[in-house]
Amino acid sequence: MVANRGRDTKPERALRSELHRRGLRFRVDIRPLRGLNCRADLVFPSERVAVFVDGCFWHGCTVHAERPRRNSGYWNAKIDANIARDRRNDAVLTQASWCVIRVWEHEPLHQSAELVEEAVRVRRSRPEFR
Ligand SMILES: [Zn+2]
C-alpha cells in the first residue's frame, strides 16, 4: 500500500541530479547536526543548508492529505507524530543557524531545485558561511 519511508526515493534522486547539473555539490543522507537524531536528504555543510524532500504520505502533505481509513487512529497518530518531529527538528536546526529547506515530493522539480540553489547562493554571499 504505502512504500516505506527511506532514502533514495525517486523525487530525491531527481532533485540530486538536477542540483548536480546546476553545479552544486552536497552530502547525502547525513545528520546535519551532531547530537540531533535527524538525517537530512541533502546537506551543504559549509553553507549550513539542510534539505528535506518530504514524502506526501509520511509528512502529512495537505494537498494529498488523504489518510488511510483503515486503522485511522494508528495512522493519524503516526503521521501527526512525524509532523511534530519535523517541526521540532526544524526549530533545533534553525536555532543552530542552519537554513532548513523542505520541499514536497509533489512539487515540480524545477521549483524545488530553484529553492535550494537560491538558499545556497544567499548563504554563500554571507561572509560567515564562506
Ligand atoms: Zn503532496
Side-chain angles (χ1 to χ4, degrees):
M1 182 196 96
V2 273
N4 207 345
R5 180 175 32 179
R7 58 172 297 197
D8 243 16
T9 61
K10 201 175 162 204
E12 274 175 53
R13 285 198 308 268
L15 181 61
R16 290 207 304 259
S17 38
E18 175 60 22
L19 292 172
H20 261 275
R21 209 183 55 75
R22 294 172 182 228
L24 294 175
R25 296 297 177 261
F26 42 81
R27 307 277 313 274
V28 172
D29 194 36
I30 59 163
R31 294 181 181 195
L33 198 59
R34 198 195 269 270
L36 179 66
N37 185 14
C38 162
R39 303 168 88 85
D41 297 311
L42 308 179
V43 174
F44 297 80
S46 12
E47 295 86 355
R48 289 205 194 184
V49 174
V51 180
F52 298 85
V53 181
D54 287 344
C56 293
F57 179 79
W58 292 107
H59 297 266
C61 159
T62 52
V63 182
H64 309 106
E66 200 164 325
R67 295 190 182 186
R69 299 231 176 94
R70 284 175 68 98
N71 293 323
S72 63
Y74 169 81
W75 287 111
N76 282 332
K78 191 158 183 69
I79 294 168
D80 289 345
N82 286 345
I83 296 170
R85 194 197 47 213
D86 289 343
R87 295 296 83 79
R88 277 197 308 275
N89 287 337
D90 291 353
V92 173
L93 287 167
T94 306
Q95 198 67 45
S97 78
W98 279 80
C99 169
V100 178
I101 305 270
R102 283 187 183 271
V103 298
W104 289 106
E105 65 175 349
H106 71 250
E107 284 182 271
L109 175 62
H110 180 79
Q111 193 179 300
S112 310
E114 206 59 45
L115 209 59
V116 175
E117 194 179 16
E118 180 62 18
V120 171
R121 196 179 17 238
V122 166
R123 281 280 160 121
R124 282 183 184 160
S125 70
R126 293 168 55 176
E128 67 267 42
F129 294 109
R130 261 180 226 148

